[in-house]
């Protein structure tokens, strides 16, 4: 398929790996933000192509992984209610809260449905006026426009039986929290290309300048990542800390302004707790006053509920780049994709799930760059 195979070309990958090796003179630690990027890196063994001086660490960019445990518990409580249709993307159904997971609620008779778009949930509300339909609005800036559209549509349609359980988080405040930590050792970032497709990359300039870190907006295919790493290493070696755009085929500096306007109409920026990372100021979204009637937490009286993460899960250290999945004592033993203790083992974008699938035995599903048929 055009626009896929050329980004998995083995000869070009070897070229970039050689350029990186030729450029590097000392150790550097680079964090990729997005779970999709982590997945590509582990799947194609990109970190194994790099010189030992370049360390890749995996950031907090898996939306399923950072949704706090109390929001999972709130979802479970709402989904178990009679006359509720609880709608979610599929990944969220296996994420463990302290009260179980959504599959367990479904097995016990709860009406839990997987949808592929929040506007499908709006249609369900329209056709089931006797039910309360709730959509689990999880994700980063990438999914916020579609979720905002669903609330906007529900208001236009006059629906009083549609609401959203909002768990939206924002990438730049999380990057700032990582950079501001005394334990931080991240020296450069690969920013998530799809987030920047929506939001642009203006907001990264102050971060790059304040913390003196290069930030390269990067795509998701193997050659995107190798080129992004090369651009980041080149800046680090030259003492530059600029914002650059590797993913120019999708990202414009200003982003998608129409989507941004819709998000700003429906959502406002608030402090938010992240699973594994704790509270981060001004790092999440909540409904604006004009749309707060669609807030599921208020509608079902759950605003004050709180819960704590399983202490054995070190996902916070993973997402701050301090540790890797293999350093978790539960990895591959008490925590597996079939029996996950923490969210990073559940999601297809979670670092633990990617390591388990592609790295545990070194003989399994890992794909060689250039093997387009298996990609
Ligand atoms: S292996 Fe499981 S328990 Fe350990 S960090 Fe990953 S998700 Fe958490």
């Amino acid at each position: 398929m055009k626009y896929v195979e050329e980004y998995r070309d083995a000869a070009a990958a070897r070229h970039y790996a050689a350029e990186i090796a030729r450029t590097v003179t000392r150790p550097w630690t680079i964090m990729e933000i997005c779970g999709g990027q982590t997945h590509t890196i582990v799947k194609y063994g990109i970190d194994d192509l790099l010189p030992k001086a370049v360390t890749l660490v995996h950031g907090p960019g898996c939306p399923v992984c950072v949704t706090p445990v109390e929001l999972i518990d709130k979802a479970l409580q709402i989904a178990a209610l009679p006359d509720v249709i609880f709608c979610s993307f599929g990944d969220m159904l296996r994420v463990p809260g302290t009260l179980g997971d959504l599959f367990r609620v479904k097995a016990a008779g709860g009406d839990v449905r997987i949808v592929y778009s929040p506007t499908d949930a709006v249609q369900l509300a329209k056709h089931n006026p006797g039910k309360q339909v709730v959509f689990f609005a999880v994700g980063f800036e990438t999914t916020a426009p579609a979720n905002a559209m669903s609330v906007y549509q529900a208001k236009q349609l006059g629906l009083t039986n549609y609401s959203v359980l909002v768990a939206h988080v924002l990438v730049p405040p999380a990057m700032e929290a990582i950079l501001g930590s005394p334990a931080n050792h991240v020296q450069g970032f690969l920013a998530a290309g799809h987030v920047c497709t929506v939001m642009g990359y203006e907001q990264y300039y102050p971060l790059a300048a304040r913390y003196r870190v290069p930030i390269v907006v990067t795509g998701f295919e193997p050659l995107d990542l190798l080129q992004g790493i090369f651009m980041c290493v080149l800046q680090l070696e030259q003492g530059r800390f600029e914002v650059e755009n590797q993913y120019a085929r999708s990202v414009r500096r200003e982003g998608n302004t129409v989507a941004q306007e819709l998000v700003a109409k429906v959502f406002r920026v608030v402090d938010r707790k992240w699973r594994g990372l704790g509270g981060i100021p001004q790092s999440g979204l909540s409904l604006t006053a004009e749309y707060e009637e669609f807030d599921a937490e208020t509608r079902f009286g759950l605003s004050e509920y709180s819960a704590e993460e399983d202490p054995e899960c070190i996902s916070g250290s993973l997402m701050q780049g301090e540790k890797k999945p293999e350093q978790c004592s539960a990895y591959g033993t008490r925590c597996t994709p079939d029996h996950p203790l923490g969210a990073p083992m559940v999601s297809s974008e979670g670092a633990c799930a990617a390591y388990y699938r592609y790295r545990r035995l070194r003989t399994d599903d890992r794909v060689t760059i250039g093997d387009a048929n298996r990609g």
Side-chain angles (χ1 to χ4, degrees):
M1 181 192 295
K2 200 162 171 18
Y3 298 128
V4 173
E5 288 148 3
E6 52 268 66
Y7 296 104
R8 298 178 184 175
D9 180 77
R14 282 194 293 275
H15 164 77
Y16 273 119
E19 283 299 299
I20 293 166
R22 197 176 57 78
T23 305
V24 165
T25 63
R26 66 202 120 142
W28 299 113
T29 298
I30 297 170
M31 173 179 275
E32 85 278 359
I33 288 291
C34 174
Q37 294 170 329
T38 303
H39 195 85
T40 300
I41 287 166
V42 179
K43 179 176 180 179
Y44 289 92
I46 286 172
D47 44 354
D48 288 345
L49 285 176
L50 301 176
K52 286 203 177 339
V54 178
T55 301
L56 298 182
V57 291
H58 317 308
C62 158
V64 172
C65 304
V66 300
T67 300
V69 71
E70 55 255 51
L71 269 167
I72 305 294
D73 280 359
K74 287 176 185 179
L76 300 175
Q77 292 173 63
I78 295 169
L81 293 172
D83 297 326
V84 165
I85 301 174
F86 192 88
C87 301
S88 172
F89 295 134
D91 268 6
M92 294 306 296
L93 268 63
R94 291 200 308 119
V95 180
T98 64
L99 309 171
D101 60 34
L102 283 165
F103 266 130
R104 195 174 297 182
V105 174
K106 188 174 171 65
D111 193 348
V112 178
R113 303 190 193 185
I114 295 172
V115 293
Y116 296 100
S117 160
T119 53
D120 293 345
V122 174
Q123 290 304 310
L124 272 174
K126 189 175 164 189
H127 296 300
N128 293 274
K131 301 274 190 180
Q132 284 289 327
V133 176
V134 183
F135 179 73
F136 203 174
V138 169
F140 291 91
E141 293 91 332
T142 331
T143 51
N147 293 342
M149 176 58 81
S150 80
V151 175
Y152 179 82
Q153 282 183 344
K155 193 171 178 82
Q156 296 291 309
L157 292 167
L159 296 178
T160 56
N161 65 330
Y162 180 72
S163 59
V164 283
L165 181 58
V166 181
H168 272 299
V169 283
L170 304 171
V171 169
M175 289 169 66
E176 178 145 30
I178 290 166
L179 288 167
S181 164
N184 174 55
H185 56 276
V186 176
Q187 295 160 299
F189 280 102
L190 308 182
H194 51 6
V195 168
C196 297
T197 300
V198 176
M199 299 305 294
Y201 51 89
E202 290 276 359
Q203 55 197 326
Y204 294 117
Y205 284 91
L207 273 182
R210 190 175 321 136
Y211 294 97
R212 302 173 71 84
V213 287
I215 299 174
V216 180
V217 178
T218 303
F220 302 90
E221 290 295 330
L223 291 190
D224 288 324
L225 284 153
L226 281 162
Q227 188 180 29
I229 294 163
F230 174 62
M231 292 164 74
C232 199
V233 164
L234 199 58
Q235 284 203 49
L236 287 164
E237 288 286 341
Q238 294 174 348
R240 293 185 289 122
F241 38 90
E242 298 166 8
V243 179
E244 292 182 312
N245 182 15
Q246 180 278 330
Y247 203 36
R249 68 185 184 278
S250 177
V251 175
R252 288 176 296 159
R253 181 172 173 143
E254 69 278 13
N256 182 335
T257 54
V258 175
Q260 291 166 26
E261 282 164 19
L262 178 63
V263 170
K265 184 173 179 59
V266 174
F267 291 120
R268 63 193 168 94
V269 176
V270 294
D271 298 346
R272 178 130 341 245
K273 187 174 175 183
W274 295 51
R275 191 169 194 165
L277 298 179
I280 302 177
Q282 300 291 286
S283 69
L285 297 177
S286 187
L287 292 162
T288 57
E290 189 182 351
Y291 292 91
E292 64 189 3
E293 68 198 270
F294 296 96
D295 186 347
E297 288 188 62
T298 309
R299 187 169 296 183
F300 293 95
L302 291 169
S303 303
E304 301 306 317
Y305 177 85
S306 67
E308 291 303 321
E309 177 69 78
D310 186 322
E312 193 169 12
C313 181
I314 61 161
S315 62
S317 299
L318 298 187
M319 290 187 284
Q320 292 175 82
E322 294 167 7
K323 291 191 174 169
K324 299 225 174 177
E326 290 145 335
Q327 292 171 277
C328 174
S329 60
Y331 170 79
T333 54
R334 288 179 303 289
C335 184
T336 65
D338 286 339
H339 298 285
L341 274 186
M345 189 57 96
V346 175
S347 166
S348 57
E349 293 191 8
C352 300
Y355 271 65
Y356 190 89
R357 179 169 180 191
Y358 297 114
R359 190 145 294 186
R360 189 170 51 103
L361 300 176
R362 298 270 175 186
T363 56
D364 43 20
D365 289 347
R366 196 145 70 143
V367 176
T368 302
I369 297 174
D371 187 357
N373 292 331
R374 297 185 61 203

